[in-house]
Amino acid sequence: AQRVTQPEKLLSVFKGAPVELKCNYSYSGSPELFWYVQYSRQRLQLLLRHISRESIKGFTADLNKGETSFHLKKPFAQEEDSAMYYCALLIQGAQKLVFGQGTRLTINP
Amino acid sequence: GAGVSQTPSNKVTEKGKYVELRCDPISGHTALYWYRQSLGQGPEFLIYFQGTGAADDSGLPNDRFFAVRPEGSVSTLKIQRTERGDSAVYLCASSSTGVGRQYFGAGTRLSVL
């Protein structure tokens, strides 16, 4: 079965501290993974996708097929990073996204 | 328009009533998706259109739910005999090819009393 697990519903760190949001997946096919973010009173938007291997707003995420993980990392958190973060898996062929439950990240001043 | 547009933004209805939710995708996007997001959960897939046809409707929970996209642009999600458990935010997304990045609308918050 296809599944995305985000074990932390809430995560709180201080400004300037490193942050890591965990994501694990279960999928028999070749995984294509995304991180979506939802800032307060805004719509869900793409933060980054693993095939792009890019850094957006200082965030990076590396796909680890051995550990079936796609954790999101940022070395120095900023207050504007406070938001809801969702990890998502694209199901090939079906072209649908399977989302995790989300992690609410709060950056304390 | 600049992005995916969903109307209404909020809908309150009574148990047993019929509702229609509208999605206007980004111009030129051939793929359109509906998701449902319950409180404290991530979005859950309902249905995917490629053009006018439903390519995958495996996420529709039961036959009270139906969606159409008659001209390959605007889509309507229809819910018959609404139940309190249907209360959720209904999200629409579109993409240019049906692979990769999906652009989301702001959602319709449905409350069934």
Side-chain angles (χ1 to χ4, degrees):
Chain A
Q2 311 113 354
R3 188 170 59 246
V4 175
T5 303
Q6 293 180 251
E8 304 139 327
K9 295 201 87 168
L10 302 170
L11 183 62
S12 182
V13 301
F14 285 102
K15 177 182 170 182
V19 61
E20 181 180 51
L21 289 83
K22 291 185 167 49
C23 171
N24 288 91
Y25 67 91
S26 173
Y27 184 50
S28 57
S30 181
E32 184 172 349
L33 287 142
F34 303 78
W35 277 98
Y36 278 82
V37 61
Q38 188 166 25
Y39 300 103
S40 179
R41 291 184 291 279
Q42 294 187 27
R43 63 187 63 192
L44 198 60
Q45 58 185 282
L46 179 67
L47 180 62
L48 54 81
R49 55 193 296 188
H50 91 269
I51 61 172
S52 301
R53 299 191 63 80
E54 57 197 344
S55 174
I56 303 294
K57 300 185 178 184
F59 284 98
T60 59
D62 290 318
L63 177 62
N64 186 324
K65 291 186 179 181
E67 296 183 357
T68 59
S69 69
F70 188 56
H71 302 327
L72 183 67
K73 301 177 184 179
K74 184 169 182 176
F76 306 104
Q78 299 173 291
E79 287 185 67
E80 53 265 34
D81 297 329
S82 294
M84 196 75 189
Y85 290 80
Y86 294 96
C87 183
L89 168 71
L90 182 70
I91 305 303
Q92 305 293 349
Q95 299 308 321
K96 61 187 179 185
L97 290 170
V98 174
F99 285 86
Q101 283 195 323
T103 298
R104 181 171 297 282
L105 176 65
T106 302
I107 308 301
N108 300 304
Chain B
V4 178
S5 175
Q6 290 189 247
T7 54
S9 55
N10 282 282
K11 176 71 178 176
V12 180
T13 191
E14 293 180 345
K15 179 175 179 295
K17 298 289 188 184
Y18 168 83
V19 296
E20 289 189 353
L21 312 179
R22 177 188 167 106
C23 173
D24 203 337
I26 293 172
S27 178
H29 279 191
T30 58
L32 185 146
Y33 312 80
W34 284 99
Y35 294 84
R36 178 168 72 172
Q37 186 170 22
S38 301
L39 194 62
Q41 303 294 320
E44 291 181 291
F45 170 81
L46 295 177
I47 187 169
Y48 156 52
F49 286 91
Q50 184 61 256
T52 59
D56 183 350
D57 65 358
S58 62
L60 295 178
N62 52 59
D63 61 6
R64 295 187 298 106
F65 288 74
F66 189 70
V68 296
R69 194 185 185 199
E71 297 178 359
S73 177
V74 171
S75 175
T76 305
L77 178 65
K78 309 180 181 195
I79 310 174
Q80 299 177 322
R81 305 183 304 280
T82 51
E83 299 177 357
R84 292 196 179 89
D86 299 335
S87 296
V89 175
Y90 289 81
L91 297 170
C92 178
S94 70
S95 70
S96 58
T97 61
V99 293
R101 180 173 187 163
Q102 296 181 19
Y103 294 82
F104 282 80
T108 294
R109 182 176 298 278
L110 175 67
S111 300
V112 182
L113 304 179

